Amino acid sequence: MGGIPGAVALLQVKDGAISLGNQAAGSSFGPYEKPVLPLSPETTSLYGDITGRYMQDVNLTPRFDVTGALAREMWKQKFGQQVDGVLAIDPVTLGYILRATGPVQLPTGDTLTSDNAAKLLLSDVYAKYPDPAVQDAFFASAASAVFEKVSSGGFDTKAFIGALTDGTKDGRLRLWSADEAEQKQIAGTAVAGTLPTASAETREFGVYLNDGTAAKMDYYLDKKVSVGSSVCRKDGRPTSVVEVTLKNTAPADAATSLPRYVTGGGDFGTEPGKIKTLVAVYAPKNGIYLGASQDGKGAALQTATDGEHPVAQIQTLLAPGQSTTFRVAFLGGGEVREGRSAGGVDARRPSDQGRAAAVRLRRAGPGRLTAASARTVGHSMTALLAW
């Protein structure tokens, strides 16, 4: 899932009724001279202080509790209103919702459907409307139109719940509450945005992608992830290898055929047509980083920890048609009993199952509803819509 928070809106929930309040472009927040809330040294080291200075960057970190708190504070500083939580959703999930509600007509004359939502919102809009201000207005109108369609009712509610379920399974919905009791109910669920965990039965690894092109080229980035694990040590600790393959699928003439807003035009240090990506691989707590390679050779990367999670982060730069494969190995902690291996894959993008462990892939961009908020009365929530 993912993308920057391109549109931000206020959702007000009272006595079971939901209404849409203020809307604003993500770019209209800040930039702030310093982070709006203190950042941990790990967040600053891995993602920079821009995580807390720009609304578009609050989801650089995969920790959605951090993202939610930052977005809430930015909303307060802009509108003087303290919201109760933050919900993040992406265009693919909007497409799922439109399967249930049917298409919506936009003020521009465009029709947003379940089939074209992702492509229109993530790619076509930039060619059709090159002015960023017009793009922001388009995104706001799309969010408003879908919300009005949902709030008006008259559609298959079972299909609607199914759409949200699909978005949640894909990792495309995130929810955070500023209320500690509510957040405890959210924690550990599929919408919480928690980091990988490990037990005697399973081990998870998180693969998070951040666009470094500062443009919209990652629409053309193909991703494949696999993970494998084996137990060869007497103490039963497993060795797991996560493999990430990225390919730039943009046309060969992308530098000239794609809009400047999409390529970045070289304004941010990346040659037009190329895609720069930061790939962060997170292991469960107490894992130990063993080594990494890129295309069969030693890899230059950043190793760090985020809380107790080992992290290996590498930067890639791909020209149209070019691909690269990054492999990183970790030694597991003592949570897996001797002679046991775990199985299963939980990936949002195409991925292959290894002999053991599980992998989760997402762009460290938004976001992903739980019934915990449905029972609240008089709540206000900031919705981040990621493009």
Side-chain angles (χ1 to χ4, degrees), residues 60-213:
L60 286 174
T61 171
R63 291 180 176 270
F64 196 70
D65 56 337
V66 175
T67 296
L70 290 170
R72 177 178 186 248
E73 180 61 25
M74 290 182 186
W75 184 272
K76 179 185 177 181
Q77 292 194 21
K78 183 175 179 65
F79 292 105
Q81 182 180 23
Q82 191 77 284
V83 298
D84 300 296
V86 176
L87 168 73
I89 190 172
D90 75 354
V92 175
T93 302
L94 286 183
Y96 293 162
I97 292 172
L98 290 170
R99 288 193 319 225
T101 65
V104 296
Q105 199 72 28
L106 304 183
T108 58
D110 295 283
T111 300
L112 197 62
T113 72
S114 60
D115 294 327
N116 72 3
K119 188 172 186 294
L120 180 58
L121 295 171
L122 293 174
S123 178
D124 293 352
V125 62
Y126 302 111
K128 194 169 186 178
Y129 306 109
D131 184 343
V134 176
Q135 295 165 9
D136 288 340
F138 180 88
F139 294 141
S141 68
S144 180
V146 173
F147 177 80
E148 288 179 9
K149 188 80 169 181
V150 170
S151 61
S152 65
F155 54 83
D156 186 341
T157 54
K158 184 177 180 180
F160 178 71
I161 296 300
L164 295 180
T165 300
D166 288 344
T168 300
K169 287 179 179 178
D170 286 355
R172 300 180 182 280
L173 285 172
R174 286 285 183 264
L175 181 66
W176 170 81
S177 175
D179 182 275
E180 289 187 11
E182 291 182 354
Q183 184 59 23
K184 285 182 179 180
Q185 295 184 53
I186 296 170
T189 69
V191 296
T194 52
L195 296 181
T197 60
S199 68
E201 286 71 38
T202 186
R203 296 180 302 282
E204 294 181 340
F205 296 86
V207 179
Y208 307 101
L209 310 182
N210 274 313
D211 172 57
T213 314

Side-chain angles (χ1 to χ4, degrees), residues 1-5 59 64 88-90 171-174 362-368 384-387:
M1 104 145 273
I4 65 169
N59 57 353
F64 196 70
I89 190 172
D90 75 354
R172 300 180 182 280
L173 285 172
R174 286 285 183 264
R362 78 173 181 89
R363 272 172 42 197
R368 314 4 149 163
L384 304 180
L385 306 176
W387 317 118

Side-chain angles (χ1 to χ4, degrees), residues 265-318:
D267 294 340
F268 302 98
T270 301
E271 186 179 336
K274 294 184 177 181
I275 302 176
K276 181 186 293 184
T277 307
L278 292 174
V279 183
V281 180
Y282 278 62
K285 293 180 180 179
N286 302 320
I288 298 174
Y289 167 76
L290 295 178
S293 66
Q294 184 176 10
D295 299 326
K297 301 178 182 179
L301 50 78
Q302 176 188 10
T303 57
T305 58
D306 192 346
E308 298 179 72
H309 294 265
V311 183
Q313 182 167 250
I314 189 171
Q315 178 176 288
T316 66
L317 182 63
L318 301 174

